[in-house]
PDB file of all heavy atoms in Angstrom:
ATOM      1  N   TRP O  29      -9.288  23.260 -14.785  1.00 82.00           N
ATOM      2  CA  TRP O  29      -8.790  23.260 -16.167  1.00 82.00           C
ATOM      3  C   TRP O  29      -9.942  23.296 -17.190  1.00 82.00           C
ATOM      4  O   TRP O  29      -9.714  23.550 -18.357  1.00 82.00           O
ATOM      5  CB  TRP O  29      -7.883  22.070 -16.436  1.00 82.00           C
ATOM      6  CG  TRP O  29      -8.504  20.719 -16.238  1.00 82.00           C
ATOM      7  CD1 TRP O  29      -9.247  20.012 -17.155  1.00 82.00           C
ATOM      8  CD2 TRP O  29      -8.427  19.898 -15.063  1.00 82.00           C
ATOM      9  NE1 TRP O  29      -9.644  18.821 -16.637  1.00 82.00           N
ATOM     10  CE2 TRP O  29      -9.150  18.718 -15.345  1.00 82.00           C
ATOM     11  CE3 TRP O  29      -7.843  20.047 -13.832  1.00 82.00           C
ATOM     12  CZ2 TRP O  29      -9.294  17.683 -14.405  1.00 82.00           C
ATOM     13  CZ3 TRP O  29      -7.963  19.042 -12.904  1.00 82.00           C
ATOM     14  CH2 TRP O  29      -8.683  17.881 -13.180  1.00 82.00           C
ATOM     15  N   ARG O 133       9.269  20.869 -18.567  1.00 92.00           N
ATOM     16  CA  ARG O 133       9.721  19.517 -18.245  1.00 92.00           C
ATOM     17  C   ARG O 133       9.786  18.683 -19.513  1.00 92.00           C
ATOM     18  O   ARG O 133       8.871  18.701 -20.338  1.00 92.00           O
ATOM     19  CB  ARG O 133       8.771  18.840 -17.237  1.00 92.00           C
ATOM     20  CG  ARG O 133       9.231  17.465 -16.828  1.00 92.00           C
ATOM     21  CD  ARG O 133       8.423  16.887 -15.675  1.00 92.00           C
ATOM     22  NE  ARG O 133       7.097  16.461 -16.073  1.00 92.00           N
ATOM     23  CZ  ARG O 133       6.305  15.679 -15.319  1.00 92.00           C
ATOM     24  NH1 ARG O 133       6.721  15.267 -14.138  1.00 92.00           N
ATOM     25  NH2 ARG O 133       5.115  15.348 -15.746  1.00 92.00           N
ATOM     26  N   VAL O 169       5.101   9.315 -11.665  1.00 97.00           N
ATOM     27  CA  VAL O 169       5.251  10.503 -12.490  1.00 97.00           C
ATOM     28  C   VAL O 169       3.879  11.123 -12.729  1.00 97.00           C
ATOM     29  O   VAL O 169       3.048  10.549 -13.430  1.00 97.00           O
ATOM     30  CB  VAL O 169       5.934  10.193 -13.830  1.00 97.00           C
ATOM     31  CG1 VAL O 169       6.164  11.481 -14.627  1.00 97.00           C
ATOM     32  CG2 VAL O 169       7.236   9.449 -13.631  1.00 97.00           C
ATOM     33  N   PHE O 170       3.657  12.306 -12.151  1.00 94.00           N
ATOM     34  CA  PHE O 170       2.382  12.987 -12.336  1.00 94.00           C
ATOM     35  C   PHE O 170       2.356  13.673 -13.694  1.00 94.00           C
ATOM     36  O   PHE O 170       3.360  14.221 -14.160  1.00 94.00           O
ATOM     37  CB  PHE O 170       2.179  14.018 -11.227  1.00 94.00           C
ATOM     38  CG  PHE O 170       0.806  14.645 -11.223  1.00 94.00           C
ATOM     39  CD1 PHE O 170      -0.301  13.891 -10.885  1.00 94.00           C
ATOM     40  CD2 PHE O 170       0.631  15.961 -11.581  1.00 94.00           C
ATOM     41  CE1 PHE O 170      -1.556  14.454 -10.864  1.00 94.00           C
ATOM     42  CE2 PHE O 170      -0.623  16.547 -11.589  1.00 94.00           C
ATOM     43  CZ  PHE O 170      -1.725  15.785 -11.235  1.00 94.00           C
ATOM     44  N   ASP O 171       1.180  13.622 -14.357  1.00 92.00           N
ATOM     45  CA  ASP O 171       0.994  14.223 -15.677  1.00 92.00           C
ATOM     46  C   ASP O 171       1.953  13.674 -16.710  1.00 92.00           C
ATOM     47  O   ASP O 171       2.376  14.388 -17.644  1.00 92.00           O
ATOM     48  CB  ASP O 171       1.126  15.747 -15.609  1.00 92.00           C
ATOM     49  CG  ASP O 171      -0.151  16.432 -15.125  1.00 92.00           C
ATOM     50  OD1 ASP O 171      -1.141  15.713 -14.888  1.00 92.00           O
ATOM     51  OD2 ASP O 171      -0.139  17.667 -14.967  1.00 92.00           O
ATOM     52  N   SER O 172       2.293  12.402 -16.585  1.00 94.00           N
ATOM     53  CA  SER O 172       3.222  11.798 -17.529  1.00 94.00           C
ATOM     54  C   SER O 172       2.675  11.788 -18.953  1.00 94.00           C
ATOM     55  O   SER O 172       3.445  11.788 -19.913  1.00 94.00           O
ATOM     56  CB  SER O 172       3.524  10.365 -17.101  1.00 94.00           C
ATOM     57  OG  SER O 172       2.319   9.628 -16.914  1.00 94.00           O
ATOM     58  N   TYR O 173       1.350  11.823 -19.097  1.00 90.00           N
ATOM     59  CA  TYR O 173       0.745  11.752 -20.429  1.00 90.00           C
ATOM     60  C   TYR O 173       0.974  13.020 -21.259  1.00 90.00           C
ATOM     61  O   TYR O 173       0.688  13.051 -22.449  1.00 90.00           O
ATOM     62  CB  TYR O 173      -0.754  11.470 -20.310  1.00 90.00           C
ATOM     63  CG  TYR O 173      -1.529  12.513 -19.556  1.00 90.00           C
ATOM     64  CD1 TYR O 173      -2.080  13.615 -20.193  1.00 90.00           C
ATOM     65  CD2 TYR O 173      -1.691  12.402 -18.171  1.00 90.00           C
ATOM     66  CE1 TYR O 173      -2.778  14.584 -19.490  1.00 90.00           C
ATOM     67  CE2 TYR O 173      -2.378  13.357 -17.462  1.00 90.00           C
ATOM     68  CZ  TYR O 173      -2.912  14.449 -18.118  1.00 90.00           C
ATOM     69  OH  TYR O 173      -3.599  15.388 -17.412  1.00 90.00           O
ATOM     70  N   HIS O 174       1.520  14.056 -20.626  1.00 90.00           N
ATOM     71  CA  HIS O 174       1.830  15.269 -21.405  1.00 90.00           C
ATOM     72  C   HIS O 174       3.044  15.102 -22.297  1.00 90.00           C
ATOM     73  O   HIS O 174       3.288  15.930 -23.172  1.00 90.00           O
ATOM     74  CB  HIS O 174       2.062  16.447 -20.451  1.00 90.00           C
ATOM     75  CG  HIS O 174       0.804  16.990 -19.856  1.00 90.00           C
ATOM     76  ND1 HIS O 174      -0.205  17.564 -20.603  1.00 90.00           N
ATOM     77  CD2 HIS O 174       0.365  17.043 -18.560  1.00 90.00           C
ATOM     78  CE1 HIS O 174      -1.188  17.956 -19.809  1.00 90.00           C
ATOM     79  NE2 HIS O 174      -0.860  17.628 -18.571  1.00 90.00           N
ATOM     80  N   LEU O 175       3.806  14.041 -22.080  1.00 93.00           N
ATOM     81  CA  LEU O 175       4.933  13.731 -22.976  1.00 93.00           C
ATOM     82  C   LEU O 175       4.542  12.564 -23.867  1.00 93.00           C
ATOM     83  O   LEU O 175       3.931  11.594 -23.411  1.00 93.00           O
ATOM     84  CB  LEU O 175       6.176  13.366 -22.161  1.00 93.00           C
ATOM     85  CG  LEU O 175       6.785  14.471 -21.288  1.00 93.00           C
ATOM     86  CD1 LEU O 175       7.977  13.928 -20.527  1.00 93.00           C
ATOM     87  CD2 LEU O 175       7.197  15.640 -22.141  1.00 93.00           C
ATOM     88  N   PRO O 176       4.894  12.613 -25.155  1.00 92.00           N
ATOM     89  CA  PRO O 176       4.509  11.552 -26.080  1.00 92.00           C
ATOM     90  C   PRO O 176       5.252  10.246 -25.788  1.00 92.00           C
ATOM     91  O   PRO O 176       6.319  10.232 -25.191  1.00 92.00           O
ATOM     92  CB  PRO O 176       4.894  12.112 -27.447  1.00 92.00           C
ATOM     93  CG  PRO O 176       5.950  13.138 -27.166  1.00 92.00           C
ATOM     94  CD  PRO O 176       5.609  13.712 -25.829  1.00 92.00           C
ATOM     95  N   ALA O 177       4.636   9.149 -26.249  1.00 90.00           N
ATOM     96  CA  ALA O 177       5.212   7.830 -26.023  1.00 90.00           C
ATOM     97  C   ALA O 177       6.640   7.727 -26.538  1.00 90.00           C
ATOM     98  O   ALA O 177       7.493   7.092 -25.918  1.00 90.00           O
ATOM     99  CB  ALA O 177       4.329   6.777 -26.690  1.00 90.00           C
ATOM    100  N   TRP O 180       9.135   8.820 -23.989  1.00 96.00           N
ATOM    101  CA  TRP O 180       9.311   7.893 -22.856  1.00 96.00           C
ATOM    102  C   TRP O 180      10.150   6.677 -23.247  1.00 96.00           C
ATOM    103  O   TRP O 180      10.862   6.115 -22.415  1.00 96.00           O
ATOM    104  CB  TRP O 180       7.959   7.457 -22.311  1.00 96.00           C
ATOM    105  CG  TRP O 180       7.288   8.523 -21.499  1.00 96.00           C
ATOM    106  CD1 TRP O 180       6.181   9.242 -21.816  1.00 96.00           C
ATOM    107  CD2 TRP O 180       7.721   8.990 -20.216  1.00 96.00           C
ATOM    108  NE1 TRP O 180       5.884  10.139 -20.833  1.00 96.00           N
ATOM    109  CE2 TRP O 180       6.800  10.005 -19.836  1.00 96.00           C
ATOM    110  CE3 TRP O 180       8.767   8.662 -19.376  1.00 96.00           C
ATOM    111  CZ2 TRP O 180       6.939  10.701 -18.622  1.00 96.00           C
ATOM    112  CZ3 TRP O 180       8.897   9.352 -18.174  1.00 96.00           C
ATOM    113  CH2 TRP O 180       7.983  10.355 -17.814  1.00 96.00           C
ATOM    114  N   GLY O 203       3.184   5.828 -14.374  1.00 94.00           N
ATOM    115  CA  GLY O 203       2.654   7.060 -14.942  1.00 94.00           C
ATOM    116  C   GLY O 203       1.210   7.305 -14.566  1.00 94.00           C
ATOM    117  O   GLY O 203       0.591   6.535 -13.810  1.00 94.00           O
ATOM    118  N   LEU O 204       0.660   8.398 -15.085  1.00 88.00           N
ATOM    119  CA  LEU O 204      -0.727   8.804 -14.824  1.00 88.00           C
ATOM    120  C   LEU O 204      -1.494   8.841 -16.125  1.00 88.00           C
ATOM    121  O   LEU O 204      -1.058   9.439 -17.107  1.00 88.00           O
ATOM    122  CB  LEU O 204      -0.754  10.186 -14.161  1.00 88.00           C
ATOM    123  CG  LEU O 204      -2.139  10.831 -14.024  1.00 88.00           C
ATOM    124  CD1 LEU O 204      -2.986  10.062 -13.022  1.00 88.00           C
ATOM    125  CD2 LEU O 204      -2.007  12.287 -13.635  1.00 88.00           C
ATOM    126  N   LEU O 205      -2.683   8.236 -16.122  1.00 77.00           N
ATOM    127  CA  LEU O 205      -3.574   8.280 -17.265  1.00 77.00           C
ATOM    128  C   LEU O 205      -4.948   8.658 -16.764  1.00 77.00           C
ATOM    129  O   LEU O 205      -5.526   7.960 -15.921  1.00 77.00           O
ATOM    130  CB  LEU O 205      -3.620   6.915 -17.963  1.00 77.00           C
ATOM    131  CG  LEU O 205      -4.404   6.845 -19.278  1.00 77.00           C
ATOM    132  CD1 LEU O 205      -3.750   7.723 -20.334  1.00 77.00           C
ATOM    133  CD2 LEU O 205      -4.490   5.404 -19.776  1.00 77.00           C
ATOM    134  N   LEU O 206      -5.481   9.780 -17.237  1.00 72.00           N
ATOM    135  CA  LEU O 206      -6.784  10.249 -16.766  1.00 72.00           C
ATOM    136  C   LEU O 206      -7.936   9.463 -17.390  1.00 72.00           C
ATOM    137  O   LEU O 206      -8.901   9.130 -16.706  1.00 72.00           O
ATOM    138  CB  LEU O 206      -6.953  11.738 -17.075  1.00 72.00           C
ATOM    139  CG  LEU O 206      -6.001  12.686 -16.338  1.00 72.00           C
ATOM    140  CD1 LEU O 206      -6.327  14.129 -16.727  1.00 72.00           C
ATOM    141  CD2 LEU O 206      -6.139  12.502 -14.838  1.00 72.00           C
ATOM    142  N   ALA O 207      -7.838   9.166 -18.692  1.00 64.00           N
ATOM    143  CA  ALA O 207      -8.915   8.460 -19.368  1.00 64.00           C
ATOM    144  C   ALA O 207      -8.328   7.717 -20.562  1.00 64.00           C
ATOM    145  O   ALA O 207      -7.469   8.286 -21.269  1.00 64.00           O
ATOM    146  CB  ALA O 207     -10.014   9.401 -19.823  1.00 64.00           C
ATOM    147  N   GLY O 210      -8.400   9.746 -23.600  1.00 51.00           N
ATOM    148  CA  GLY O 210      -7.992  11.135 -23.451  1.00 51.00           C
ATOM    149  C   GLY O 210      -6.516  11.373 -23.685  1.00 51.00           C
ATOM    150  O   GLY O 210      -6.046  12.484 -23.625  1.00 51.00           O
ATOM    151  N   ALA O 211      -5.786  10.306 -23.909  1.00 50.00           N
ATOM    152  CA  ALA O 211      -4.338  10.453 -24.103  1.00 50.00           C
ATOM    153  C   ALA O 211      -3.810   9.169 -24.735  1.00 50.00           C
ATOM    154  O   ALA O 211      -4.552   8.201 -24.889  1.00 50.00           O
ATOM    155  CB  ALA O 211      -3.645  10.735 -22.785  1.00 50.00           C
ATOM    156  N   ASP O 212      -2.581   9.179 -25.083  1.00 51.00           N
ATOM    157  CA  ASP O 212      -1.942   7.994 -25.635  1.00 51.00           C
ATOM    158  C   ASP O 212      -1.777   6.960 -24.519  1.00 51.00           C
ATOM    159  O   ASP O 212      -0.951   7.092 -23.649  1.00 51.00           O
ATOM    160  CB  ASP O 212      -0.578   8.387 -26.204  1.00 51.00           C
ATOM    161  CG  ASP O 212       0.146   7.193 -26.820  1.00 51.00           C
ATOM    162  OD1 ASP O 212      -0.385   6.073 -26.730  1.00 51.00           O
ATOM    163  OD2 ASP O 212       1.240   7.400 -27.360  1.00 51.00           O
ATOM    164  N   HIS O 215       1.672   5.447 -23.462  1.00 48.00           N
ATOM    165  CA  HIS O 215       2.771   6.386 -23.274  1.00 48.00           C
ATOM    166  C   HIS O 215       3.758   5.943 -22.236  1.00 48.00           C
ATOM    167  O   HIS O 215       4.912   6.335 -22.282  1.00 48.00           O
ATOM    168  CB  HIS O 215       2.217   7.771 -22.904  1.00 48.00           C
ATOM    169  CG  HIS O 215       1.809   7.909 -21.486  1.00 48.00           C
ATOM    170  ND1 HIS O 215       0.668   7.345 -21.000  1.00 48.00           N
ATOM    171  CD2 HIS O 215       2.414   8.519 -20.436  1.00 48.00           C
ATOM    172  CE1 HIS O 215       0.573   7.626 -19.707  1.00 48.00           C
ATOM    173  NE2 HIS O 215       1.601   8.326 -19.345  1.00 48.00           N
ATOM    174  N   LEU O 216       3.343   5.114 -21.261  1.00 52.00           N
ATOM    175  CA  LEU O 216       4.250   4.776 -20.197  1.00 52.00           C
ATOM    176  C   LEU O 216       3.907   3.405 -19.628  1.00 52.00           C
ATOM    177  O   LEU O 216       2.750   3.083 -19.443  1.00 52.00           O
ATOM    178  CB  LEU O 216       4.143   5.824 -19.088  1.00 52.00           C
ATOM    179  CG  LEU O 216       5.098   5.741 -17.914  1.00 52.00           C
ATOM    180  CD1 LEU O 216       6.538   5.729 -18.392  1.00 52.00           C
ATOM    181  CD2 LEU O 216       4.868   6.936 -16.968  1.00 52.00           C
TER     182      LEU O 216
END
Side-chain angles (χ1 to χ4, degrees):
W29 59 85
R133 183 171 73 165
V169 184
F170 188 69
D171 279 357
S172 53
Y173 60 90
H174 285 297
L175 294 178
W180 285 110
L204 171 68
L205 186 65
L206 295 181
D212 181 356
H215 79 286
L216 186 55

